[in-house]
PDB file of all heavy atoms in Angstrom:
ATOM      1  N   GLY A  13       1.304  14.835 -11.700  1.00 58.00           N
ATOM      2  CA  GLY A  13       1.149  15.296 -10.328  1.00 58.00           C
ATOM      3  C   GLY A  13       0.392  14.351  -9.421  1.00 58.00           C
ATOM      4  O   GLY A  13      -0.100  14.765  -8.365  1.00 58.00           O
ATOM      5  N   VAL A  14       0.230  13.085  -9.786  1.00 57.00           N
ATOM      6  CA  VAL A  14      -0.540  12.148  -8.965  1.00 57.00           C
ATOM      7  C   VAL A  14       0.350  10.975  -8.495  1.00 57.00           C
ATOM      8  O   VAL A  14      -0.211   9.915  -8.118  1.00 57.00           O
ATOM      9  CB  VAL A  14      -1.781  11.623  -9.740  1.00 57.00           C
ATOM     10  CG1 VAL A  14      -2.770  12.731  -9.968  1.00 57.00           C
ATOM     11  CG2 VAL A  14      -1.313  11.019 -11.072  1.00 57.00           C
ATOM     12  N   HIS A  15       1.677  11.140  -8.542  1.00 56.00           N
ATOM     13  CA  HIS A  15       2.529  10.042  -8.192  1.00 56.00           C
ATOM     14  C   HIS A  15       2.452   9.665  -6.713  1.00 56.00           C
ATOM     15  O   HIS A  15       2.842   8.591  -6.302  1.00 56.00           O
ATOM     16  CB  HIS A  15       3.996  10.421  -8.563  1.00 56.00           C
ATOM     17  CG  HIS A  15       4.453  11.686  -7.935  1.00 56.00           C
ATOM     18  ND1 HIS A  15       4.081  12.906  -8.388  1.00 56.00           N
ATOM     19  CD2 HIS A  15       5.277  11.886  -6.854  1.00 56.00           C
ATOM     20  CE1 HIS A  15       4.669  13.849  -7.659  1.00 56.00           C
ATOM     21  NE2 HIS A  15       5.392  13.264  -6.706  1.00 56.00           N
ATOM     22  N   ASN A  16       1.998  10.641  -5.880  1.00 64.00           N
ATOM     23  CA  ASN A  16       1.903  10.359  -4.438  1.00 64.00           C
ATOM     24  C   ASN A  16       0.808   9.339  -4.100  1.00 64.00           C
ATOM     25  O   ASN A  16       0.727   8.896  -2.954  1.00 64.00           O
ATOM     26  CB  ASN A  16       1.645  11.677  -3.680  1.00 64.00           C
ATOM     27  CG  ASN A  16       2.806  12.600  -3.754  1.00 64.00           C
ATOM     28  OD1 ASN A  16       3.964  12.176  -3.815  1.00 64.00           O
ATOM     29  ND2 ASN A  16       2.529  13.902  -3.791  1.00 64.00           N
ATOM     30  N   GLN A  17      -0.018   9.001  -5.096  1.00 65.00           N
ATOM     31  CA  GLN A  17      -1.104   8.035  -4.835  1.00 65.00           C
ATOM     32  C   GLN A  17      -0.658   6.590  -5.045  1.00 65.00           C
ATOM     33  O   GLN A  17      -1.479   5.684  -4.837  1.00 65.00           O
ATOM     34  CB  GLN A  17      -2.298   8.328  -5.739  1.00 65.00           C
ATOM     35  CG  GLN A  17      -2.937   9.698  -5.478  1.00 65.00           C
ATOM     36  CD  GLN A  17      -4.169   9.918  -6.333  1.00 65.00           C
ATOM     37  OE1 GLN A  17      -4.701   8.971  -6.906  1.00 65.00           O
ATOM     38  NE2 GLN A  17      -4.612  11.160  -6.448  1.00 65.00           N
ATOM     39  N   ILE A  18       0.589   6.364  -5.472  1.00 71.00           N
ATOM     40  CA  ILE A  18       1.036   4.981  -5.682  1.00 71.00           C
ATOM     41  C   ILE A  18       1.082   4.209  -4.361  1.00 71.00           C
ATOM     42  O   ILE A  18       0.630   3.060  -4.310  1.00 71.00           O
ATOM     43  CB  ILE A  18       2.414   4.976  -6.337  1.00 71.00           C
ATOM     44  CG1 ILE A  18       2.324   5.417  -7.795  1.00 71.00           C
ATOM     45  CG2 ILE A  18       3.073   3.608  -6.244  1.00 71.00           C
ATOM     46  CD1 ILE A  18       3.623   5.333  -8.553  1.00 71.00           C
ATOM     47  N   GLU A  19       1.565   4.859  -3.309  1.00 73.00           N
ATOM     48  CA  GLU A  19       1.658   4.170  -2.021  1.00 73.00           C
ATOM     49  C   GLU A  19       0.292   3.811  -1.467  1.00 73.00           C
ATOM     50  O   GLU A  19       0.069   2.633  -1.053  1.00 73.00           O
ATOM     51  CB  GLU A  19       2.444   5.029  -1.020  1.00 73.00           C
ATOM     52  CG  GLU A  19       2.669   4.311   0.315  1.00 73.00           C
ATOM     53  CD  GLU A  19       3.605   5.100   1.205  1.00 73.00           C
ATOM     54  OE1 GLU A  19       4.108   6.138   0.765  1.00 73.00           O
ATOM     55  OE2 GLU A  19       3.854   4.651   2.342  1.00 73.00           O
ATOM     56  N   PRO A  20      -0.720   4.692  -1.442  1.00 74.00           N
ATOM     57  CA  PRO A  20      -2.041   4.274  -0.980  1.00 74.00           C
ATOM     58  C   PRO A  20      -2.648   3.197  -1.836  1.00 74.00           C
ATOM     59  O   PRO A  20      -3.339   2.297  -1.343  1.00 74.00           O
ATOM     60  CB  PRO A  20      -2.890   5.580  -1.039  1.00 74.00           C
ATOM     61  CG  PRO A  20      -1.889   6.664  -0.946  1.00 74.00           C
ATOM     62  CD  PRO A  20      -0.674   6.166  -1.659  1.00 74.00           C
ATOM     63  N   PHE A  21      -2.356   3.242  -3.152  1.00 72.00           N
ATOM     64  CA  PHE A  21      -2.900   2.201  -4.050  1.00 72.00           C
ATOM     65  C   PHE A  21      -2.302   0.823  -3.714  1.00 72.00           C
ATOM     66  O   PHE A  21      -3.029  -0.184  -3.662  1.00 72.00           O
ATOM     67  CB  PHE A  21      -2.577   2.575  -5.505  1.00 72.00           C
ATOM     68  CG  PHE A  21      -2.948   1.529  -6.492  1.00 72.00           C
ATOM     69  CD1 PHE A  21      -4.276   1.358  -6.883  1.00 72.00           C
ATOM     70  CD2 PHE A  21      -1.982   0.684  -7.028  1.00 72.00           C
ATOM     71  CE1 PHE A  21      -4.632   0.372  -7.792  1.00 72.00           C
ATOM     72  CE2 PHE A  21      -2.326  -0.286  -7.951  1.00 72.00           C
ATOM     73  CZ  PHE A  21      -3.648  -0.441  -8.340  1.00 72.00           C
ATOM     74  N   LEU A  22      -0.990   0.767  -3.473  1.00 76.00           N
ATOM     75  CA  LEU A  22      -0.366  -0.477  -3.106  1.00 76.00           C
ATOM     76  C   LEU A  22      -0.851  -0.957  -1.719  1.00 76.00           C
ATOM     77  O   LEU A  22      -1.055  -2.171  -1.538  1.00 76.00           O
ATOM     78  CB  LEU A  22       1.163  -0.333  -3.070  1.00 76.00           C
ATOM     79  CG  LEU A  22       1.835  -0.086  -4.435  1.00 76.00           C
ATOM     80  CD1 LEU A  22       3.325   0.122  -4.262  1.00 76.00           C
ATOM     81  CD2 LEU A  22       1.609  -1.295  -5.336  1.00 76.00           C
ATOM     82  N   LEU A  23      -1.075  -0.048  -0.818  1.00 76.00           N
ATOM     83  CA  LEU A  23      -1.580  -0.457   0.487  1.00 76.00           C
ATOM     84  C   LEU A  23      -2.997  -1.100   0.362  1.00 76.00           C
ATOM     85  O   LEU A  23      -3.291  -2.067   1.042  1.00 76.00           O
ATOM     86  CB  LEU A  23      -1.645   0.727   1.426  1.00 76.00           C
ATOM     87  CG  LEU A  23      -0.287   1.258   1.925  1.00 76.00           C
ATOM     88  CD1 LEU A  23      -0.433   2.545   2.698  1.00 76.00           C
ATOM     89  CD2 LEU A  23       0.426   0.233   2.786  1.00 76.00           C
ATOM     90  N   ASN A  24      -3.806  -0.540  -0.510  1.00 75.00           N
ATOM     91  CA  ASN A  24      -5.140  -1.116  -0.712  1.00 75.00           C
ATOM     92  C   ASN A  24      -5.047  -2.470  -1.404  1.00 75.00           C
ATOM     93  O   ASN A  24      -5.796  -3.386  -1.080  1.00 75.00           O
ATOM     94  CB  ASN A  24      -6.015  -0.145  -1.527  1.00 75.00           C
ATOM     95  CG  ASN A  24      -6.367   1.081  -0.743  1.00 75.00           C
ATOM     96  OD1 ASN A  24      -6.500   1.047   0.482  1.00 75.00           O
ATOM     97  ND2 ASN A  24      -6.596   2.214  -1.438  1.00 75.00           N
ATOM     98  N   ALA A  25      -4.143  -2.585  -2.384  1.00 75.00           N
ATOM     99  CA  ALA A  25      -4.043  -3.820  -3.100  1.00 75.00           C
ATOM    100  C   ALA A  25      -3.500  -4.960  -2.236  1.00 75.00           C
ATOM    101  O   ALA A  25      -3.863  -6.119  -2.429  1.00 75.00           O
ATOM    102  CB  ALA A  25      -3.095  -3.653  -4.336  1.00 75.00           C
ATOM    103  N   LEU A  26      -2.667  -4.609  -1.263  1.00 79.00           N
ATOM    104  CA  LEU A  26      -2.083  -5.605  -0.352  1.00 79.00           C
ATOM    105  C   LEU A  26      -2.797  -5.624   1.009  1.00 79.00           C
ATOM    106  O   LEU A  26      -2.211  -6.109   1.987  1.00 79.00           O
ATOM    107  CB  LEU A  26      -0.589  -5.333  -0.148  1.00 79.00           C
ATOM    108  CG  LEU A  26       0.259  -5.386  -1.425  1.00 79.00           C
ATOM    109  CD1 LEU A  26       1.737  -5.063  -1.108  1.00 79.00           C
ATOM    110  CD2 LEU A  26       0.180  -6.747  -2.104  1.00 79.00           C
ATOM    111  N   GLU A  27      -3.996  -5.163   1.056  1.00 78.00           N
ATOM    112  CA  GLU A  27      -4.734  -5.113   2.303  1.00 78.00           C
ATOM    113  C   GLU A  27      -4.868  -6.494   2.973  1.00 78.00           C
ATOM    114  O   GLU A  27      -4.843  -6.599   4.210  1.00 78.00           O
ATOM    115  CB  GLU A  27      -6.124  -4.513   2.088  1.00 78.00           C
ATOM    116  CG  GLU A  27      -6.909  -4.307   3.355  1.00 78.00           C
ATOM    117  CD  GLU A  27      -8.255  -3.627   3.100  1.00 78.00           C
ATOM    118  OE1 GLU A  27      -8.537  -3.310   1.923  1.00 78.00           O
ATOM    119  OE2 GLU A  27      -8.993  -3.393   4.068  1.00 78.00           O
ATOM    120  N   PRO A  28      -5.032  -7.608   2.236  1.00 79.00           N
ATOM    121  CA  PRO A  28      -5.139  -8.929   2.909  1.00 79.00           C
ATOM    122  C   PRO A  28      -3.891  -9.299   3.709  1.00 79.00           C
ATOM    123  O   PRO A  28      -3.955 -10.206   4.551  1.00 79.00           O
ATOM    124  CB  PRO A  28      -5.326  -9.897   1.729  1.00 79.00           C
ATOM    125  CG  PRO A  28      -5.998  -9.073   0.682  1.00 79.00           C
ATOM    126  CD  PRO A  28      -5.345  -7.711   0.798  1.00 79.00           C
ATOM    127  N   LEU A  29      -2.750  -8.619   3.487  1.00 79.00           N
ATOM    128  CA  LEU A  29      -1.545  -8.948   4.241  1.00 79.00           C
ATOM    129  C   LEU A  29      -1.522  -8.288   5.605  1.00 79.00           C
ATOM    130  O   LEU A  29      -0.570  -8.495   6.366  1.00 79.00           O
ATOM    131  CB  LEU A  29      -0.322  -8.523   3.442  1.00 79.00           C
ATOM    132  CG  LEU A  29      -0.081  -9.309   2.174  1.00 79.00           C
ATOM    133  CD1 LEU A  29       1.108  -8.710   1.394  1.00 79.00           C
ATOM    134  CD2 LEU A  29       0.182 -10.783   2.459  1.00 79.00           C
ATOM    135  N   GLY A  30      -2.559  -7.492   5.914  1.00 75.00           N
ATOM    136  CA  GLY A  30      -2.635  -6.876   7.244  1.00 75.00           C
ATOM    137  C   GLY A  30      -1.531  -5.885   7.503  1.00 75.00           C
ATOM    138  O   GLY A  30      -1.171  -5.049   6.654  1.00 75.00           O
ATOM    139  N   GLU A  31      -0.964  -5.943   8.704  1.00 77.00           N
ATOM    140  CA  GLU A  31       0.076  -4.983   9.095  1.00 77.00           C
ATOM    141  C   GLU A  31       1.353  -5.211   8.297  1.00 77.00           C
ATOM    142  O   GLU A  31       2.180  -4.290   8.199  1.00 77.00           O
ATOM    143  CB  GLU A  31       0.356  -5.117  10.592  1.00 77.00           C
ATOM    144  CG  GLU A  31      -0.834  -4.721  11.487  1.00 77.00           C
ATOM    145  CD  GLU A  31      -0.520  -4.893  12.953  1.00 77.00           C
ATOM    146  OE1 GLU A  31       0.597  -5.384  13.250  1.00 77.00           O
ATOM    147  OE2 GLU A  31      -1.392  -4.558  13.768  1.00 77.00           O
ATOM    148  N   ARG A  32       1.539  -6.392   7.732  1.00 77.00           N
ATOM    149  CA  ARG A  32       2.769  -6.661   6.995  1.00 77.00           C
ATOM    150  C   ARG A  32       2.849  -5.899   5.681  1.00 77.00           C
ATOM    151  O   ARG A  32       3.907  -5.742   5.110  1.00 77.00           O
ATOM    152  CB  ARG A  32       2.886  -8.157   6.727  1.00 77.00           C
ATOM    153  CG  ARG A  32       2.911  -8.997   7.980  1.00 77.00           C
ATOM    154  CD  ARG A  32       2.922 -10.506   7.617  1.00 77.00           C
ATOM    155  NE  ARG A  32       2.788 -11.323   8.809  1.00 77.00           N
ATOM    156  CZ  ARG A  32       3.769 -11.746   9.555  1.00 77.00           C
ATOM    157  NH1 ARG A  32       5.021 -11.420   9.226  1.00 77.00           N
ATOM    158  NH2 ARG A  32       3.548 -12.500  10.604  1.00 77.00           N
ATOM    159  N   ARG A  33       1.656  -5.433   5.224  1.00 80.00           N
ATOM    160  CA  ARG A  33       1.671  -4.685   3.956  1.00 80.00           C
ATOM    161  C   ARG A  33       2.471  -3.409   4.040  1.00 80.00           C
ATOM    162  O   ARG A  33       3.085  -2.966   3.052  1.00 80.00           O
ATOM    163  CB  ARG A  33       0.238  -4.387   3.533  1.00 80.00           C
ATOM    164  CG  ARG A  33      -0.505  -3.523   4.533  1.00 80.00           C
ATOM    165  CD  ARG A  33      -1.903  -3.161   4.066  1.00 80.00           C
ATOM    166  NE  ARG A  33      -2.608  -2.384   5.105  1.00 80.00           N
ATOM    167  CZ  ARG A  33      -3.700  -1.700   4.870  1.00 80.00           C
ATOM    168  NH1 ARG A  33      -4.212  -1.637   3.654  1.00 80.00           N
ATOM    169  NH2 ARG A  33      -4.303  -1.030   5.828  1.00 80.00           N
ATOM    170  N   THR A  34       2.508  -2.798   5.242  1.00 82.00           N
ATOM    171  CA  THR A  34       3.241  -1.554   5.400  1.00 82.00           C
ATOM    172  C   THR A  34       4.733  -1.799   5.114  1.00 82.00           C
ATOM    173  O   THR A  34       5.392  -0.985   4.427  1.00 82.00           O
ATOM    174  CB  THR A  34       3.042  -0.981   6.792  1.00 82.00           C
ATOM    175  OG1 THR A  34       1.632  -0.840   7.050  1.00 82.00           O
ATOM    176  CG2 THR A  34       3.727   0.368   6.958  1.00 82.00           C
ATOM    177  N   GLU A  35       5.264  -2.854   5.663  1.00 80.00           N
ATOM    178  CA  GLU A  35       6.686  -3.169   5.446  1.00 80.00           C
ATOM    179  C   GLU A  35       6.973  -3.482   3.986  1.00 80.00           C
ATOM    180  O   GLU A  35       7.975  -2.981   3.405  1.00 80.00           O
ATOM    181  CB  GLU A  35       7.059  -4.410   6.310  1.00 80.00           C
ATOM    182  CG  GLU A  35       8.489  -4.869   6.112  1.00 80.00           C
ATOM    183  CD  GLU A  35       8.797  -6.131   6.859  1.00 80.00           C
ATOM    184  OE1 GLU A  35       7.947  -6.573   7.673  1.00 80.00           O
ATOM    185  OE2 GLU A  35       9.885  -6.722   6.649  1.00 80.00           O
ATOM    186  N   ILE A  36       6.068  -4.235   3.343  1.00 82.00           N
ATOM    187  CA  ILE A  36       6.312  -4.587   1.926  1.00 82.00           C
ATOM    188  C   ILE A  36       6.216  -3.368   1.035  1.00 82.00           C
ATOM    189  O   ILE A  36       7.079  -3.143   0.172  1.00 82.00           O
ATOM    190  CB  ILE A  36       5.257  -5.652   1.495  1.00 82.00           C
ATOM    191  CG1 ILE A  36       5.455  -6.939   2.262  1.00 82.00           C
ATOM    192  CG2 ILE A  36       5.329  -5.896  -0.014  1.00 82.00           C
ATOM    193  CD1 ILE A  36       4.413  -7.993   1.981  1.00 82.00           C
TER     194      ILE A  36
END
């Protein structure tokens, strides 16, 4: 029941990419 946290985890991991991380 924690699969919804994958997207926030990826957003944090790709934080150096700035706004482009959302698209990726």
Side-chain angles (χ1 to χ4, degrees):
V14 292
H15 57 283
N16 294 327
Q17 297 183 16
I18 287 184
E19 185 172 356
F21 175 78
L22 291 177
L23 288 172
N24 291 330
L26 299 178
E27 186 176 359
L29 293 175
E31 297 179 356
R32 301 175 187 272
R33 60 177 177 164
T34 305
E35 177 186 351
I36 296 175

